[in-house]
Amino acid sequence: MYVIREIEEKDNARIEQIIKQSLEDVGLNIPGTSYVDPQLGNLTQYYAELPNAKYWVAENEEGEVVGGVGIAPLAKQEGVCELQKLYITPEARGNGLSHQLMEAALAFAKKHYAYCYLDTFEKLYVANLLYEKYGFEELEQPLEGTEHNACDKWFMKKLS
């Protein structure tokens, strides 16, 4: 069983490590991805400074952070948020944790936004199945305001 809670200062280094390792494992430690985001080392402060934004982490039974997800406004897009940085350690995958994180993120998003956008990669097949299961529909191109120009797959979900 996992505990989903808002990120705290003490979680910054661990969640940065999870994100970077996840991207390295699939060869996506490249420019234009979360790997090079300047705020990656201090997500607590980054999300605290944005309006209608939050980042959640998941703790396992030992109290170790094993994943996380964020919601933040998408620049230049009124009423649209972005699902950000959904990453889970290999050991925590396959136990429904991604669903718990998605539920927390989307419940928050529905209170503040009309649409939720995300960008990802074609080769992240399992993640893409998750997004489709939650009603995200594939777009032909990215929305204006996205920072991750290396991504090759984009999704949008109507929240209401």
Side-chain angles (χ1 to χ4, degrees):
M1 192 61 193
Y2 299 98
V3 173
I4 309 296
R5 61 171 175 78
E6 286 186 45
I7 193 168
E8 299 173 12
E9 203 68 43
K10 66 180 182 175
D11 305 318
N12 283 329
R14 174 66 177 146
I15 201 68
E16 179 182 19
Q17 176 190 28
I18 291 169
I19 292 169
K20 286 191 167 187
Q21 187 63 57
S22 296
L23 290 165
E24 289 168 8
D25 290 348
V26 293
L28 292 174
N29 50 324
I30 57 172
T33 68
S34 293
Y35 196 86
V36 297
D37 285 353
Q39 68 273 16
L40 200 56
N42 194 353
L43 292 181
T44 305
Q45 181 181 350
Y46 176 74
Y47 283 90
E49 291 175 356
L50 291 172
N52 299 323
K54 274 194 193 328
Y55 194 89
W56 299 265
V57 294
E59 284 185 349
N60 63 15
E61 292 173 354
E62 291 79 42
E64 180 185 27
V65 171
V66 294
V69 66
I71 290 286
L74 185 62
K76 302 181 184 177
Q77 300 288 334
E78 187 70 31
V80 180
C81 67
E82 185 175 17
L83 183 83
Q84 299 179 335
K85 297 170 180 56
L86 173 57
Y87 293 97
I88 299 170
T89 62
E91 307 80 47
R93 293 179 194 149
N95 298 314
L97 178 55
S98 61
H99 293 280
Q100 283 183 260
L101 289 167
M102 284 288 282
E103 294 287 341
L106 292 176
F108 174 81
K110 284 177 186 174
K111 294 177 185 174
H112 303 282
Y113 301 96
Y115 294 92
C116 186
Y117 170 83
L118 67 89
D119 48 28
T120 186
F121 289 88
E122 182 79 38
K123 72 190 220 174
L124 300 178
Y125 179 74
V126 174
N128 293 328
L129 288 176
L130 175 74
Y131 305 140
E132 290 170 1
K133 182 173 183 171
Y134 276 87
F136 283 86
E137 296 180 11
E138 191 171 350
L139 302 175
E140 292 184 16
Q141 62 188 31
L143 293 182
E144 186 179 346
T146 184
E147 297 177 4
H148 298 134
N149 58 9
C151 294
D152 61 7
K153 199 165 177 92
W154 313 275
F155 287 95
M156 181 84 96
K157 174 181 173 62
K158 189 173 191 330
L159 294 171
S160 51

